[in-house]
Amino acid sequence: MIPVVAVHGGAGSRRGWRNYDRVRKELEAALDEGVRAIRTGSAVDAVEAAVRYMEDSGIFNAGVGSVLDLKGGLSMDAGIMDGRSRRAGAVAAVEYPRNPVVLARIVMEKTGHIILAGRGADELAKKLSLPRHPGPSERAIKRWKELLEKVREGGNTYYALRYKEAKELGLLDTVGAVAVDADGGTAAAVSTGGVIMKFPGRVGDSPIPGAGFYADRWGAAAATGYGEVIIMSMACLRAVEKLASGSSPSEAAWLTVSSITALFGSGNVGIIVADKYGRVAAARNTEVMPWGYMRPGHRPTIYI
Amino acid sequence: MIPVVAVHGGAGSRRGWRNYDRVRKELEAALDEGVRAIRTGSAVDAVEAAVRYMEDSGIFNAGVGSVLDLKGGLSMDAGIMDGRSRRAGAVAAVEYPRNPVVLARIVMEKTGHIILAGRGADELAKKLSLPRHPGPSERAIKRWKELLEKVREGGNTYYALRYKEAKELGLLDTVGAVAVDADGGTAAAVSTGGVIMKFPGRVGDSPIPGAGFYADRWGAAAATGYGEVIIMSMACLRAVEKLASGSSPSEAAWLTVSSITALFGSGNVGIIVADKYGRVAAARNTEVMPWGYMRPGHRPTIYI
């Protein structure tokens, strides 16, 4: 089978994305990393490599580019799942690691648990000498200061910006990847800085298997958007279940997004799906969700 | 409609439960609290009151009685869901509040988020002047010291005890409650100190809607057992889906437990289920799971 890697850079409104050329370049580079990993490694290696690249890039809301919470702090979530073993690992509300997806993989493979949160997870990253987060980016600090004024005008400095406001700002940009390797093994991974101006410690869909990511022997899915909606709809579990009952990735992605739109309205979710045959598709009810896929020996295909 | 409240005190092995009389008394008292709340309040009030009572009792692995992690620390999870609005709230890896379920309800009703983890959640509890946890109980410290020796003998002081060991120790004892009020509103709530000797910060099924708890217009469910299995099987979502497709609570509970046994083996899950008509049932694949239910004006029924 010809392996495939697909990535997305987050769903949101047009306003949130300024530099499309840069986004295209970074998605291509992330696909390159994923495909390089999958030549000799597994689907898990591929999604980890692709997401790690996007965490490092600084232009996505994950890892180095993470947006800030109400208090100006970092609180990142990430998850990864191996469809072959159906094992998953995730970290929630971490601030130490530069690459939360790498820590999520360690949770999956070494701890016997699925999710580690907060201080405990940060201490593990430190203990394992994982690269440390360089601290909030200038862009993140600038955005936070602008938004803080808005929140203050709203009269409530403690509770989070409403979803509508986050949506309008186009800041639902979790990154994610799915992959299928030569043996038909599937994997999914996601990473995010969370919704901007969130309540400190808020955990979204990204560290929850079935919500923000999922993989089994039928395929893999990674979601982006408003975490609370994705948790309540278990978007990725639903999408992969549709593959199991015979849907194509395109049908699975669109049916999942449509049912979310019916229940929760529009502008809140995007998803990428790969099936075990290596077919990939994406769907969204947001204005934009840059994504793309690539197979070894081929050029990447990017949709912006 | 006649309201109903059901509670459980955790699933586990016989070895974990020494004082059955005490357990029976505490479950009856928790049901009393729940029924008192439901006379004038909603199903949400009832499950919060019942779980809060069990958190305070000190004999269950939740709130005051929480077991300790590998480092001897507290790291509690709790969740609550209102089936009428399909809103959920949860806290993960908290150590400050005496009653994590109360904080979970505040997350549901006040923050616009679903899950708050770690420091951010603890700070909210402090800010709201919620009662502070009195610190680990003597019983919890004693157990921790005994187990620490075992872990050390195993040669690995950093990673968690294997699931098999936790299972044999009968320490999977999350508490939970479901309720249906006079208007047919449903609710579920759970609270736990987590699996004993877990990795610090480990998050189980209790703060994840669909995994450890779930409620919608068809009914409500609360699970207990090995969190990682409950997350991967989305036990409570599956059980309530079965109600929606016509199963009785008893069928829904047993079908859910059976499918988990088929996939993950035995000794890892118990569940209580209520449907919108106020029928309640429980199922488990563990040796024991003390549970019971009560309707206003009736005596409680307890199964140990």
Side-chain angles (χ1 to χ4, degrees), chain A residues 50-84:
Chain A
V51 168
R52 196 179 57 221
Y53 182 88
M54 291 188 282
E55 287 175 341
D56 284 337
S57 90
I59 68 157
F60 300 108
N61 176 18
V64 173
S66 292
V67 299
L68 303 184
D69 67 24
L70 262 181
K71 289 190 162 174
L74 287 167
S75 174
M76 302 172 287
D77 302 336
I80 190 166
M81 184 161 177
D82 177 355
R84 212 179 254 112

Side-chain angles (χ1 to χ4, degrees), chain A residues 71 81 95 112-117 119-120 123 127 158 160 199-203 226 228 232 238 241, chain B residues 71 81 86 95 112-113 115-117 119-120 123 127 158 160 199-203 226 228 232 238 241:
Chain A
K71 289 190 162 174
M81 184 161 177
E95 57 180 55
H113 299 319
I114 294 177
I115 308 172
L116 290 190
R119 212 164 11 223
E123 277 171 17
K127 199 136 189 165
Y158 207 66
F199 200 96
R202 174 267 193 182
V203 173
Y226 187 55
E228 281 71 10
M232 295 318 293
R238 300 301 191 190
E241 279 179 345
Chain B
K71 288 191 164 174
M81 185 163 177
R86 282 188 80 237
E95 58 181 55
H113 298 320
I115 309 172
L116 289 191
R119 212 163 13 223
E123 276 171 18
K127 200 135 189 166
Y158 206 65
F199 200 97
R202 174 267 193 183
V203 173
Y226 186 55
E228 281 72 9
M232 295 318 293
R238 299 302 190 188
E241 279 179 345

Side-chain angles (χ1 to χ4, degrees), chain A residues 90-115:
Chain A
V91 292
V94 295
E95 57 180 55
Y96 185 90
R98 178 184 177 97
N99 297 108
V101 74
V102 172
L103 188 57
R105 184 167 183 179
I106 290 165
V107 172
M108 172 169 81
E109 294 180 346
K110 310 275 187 184
T111 70
H113 299 319
I114 294 177
I115 308 172

Side-chain angles (χ1 to χ4, degrees), chain B residues 200-261:
Chain B
R202 174 267 193 183
V203 173
D205 57 297
S206 297
I208 302 180
F213 64 105
Y214 197 74
D216 66 14
R217 64 199 179 93
W218 299 100
T224 165
Y226 186 55
E228 281 72 9
V229 164
I230 298 171
I231 294 173
M232 295 318 293
S233 58
M234 282 288 141
C236 289
L237 177 64
R238 299 302 190 188
V240 175
E241 279 179 345
K242 286 175 178 63
L243 298 178
S245 50
S247 291
S248 69
S250 175
E251 288 164 351
W254 279 111
L255 287 170
T256 302
V257 168
S258 307
S259 68
I260 289 172
T261 308

Side-chain angles (χ1 to χ4, degrees), chain A residues 217-228:
Chain A
R217 64 199 178 93
W218 299 99
T224 166
Y226 187 55
E228 281 71 10

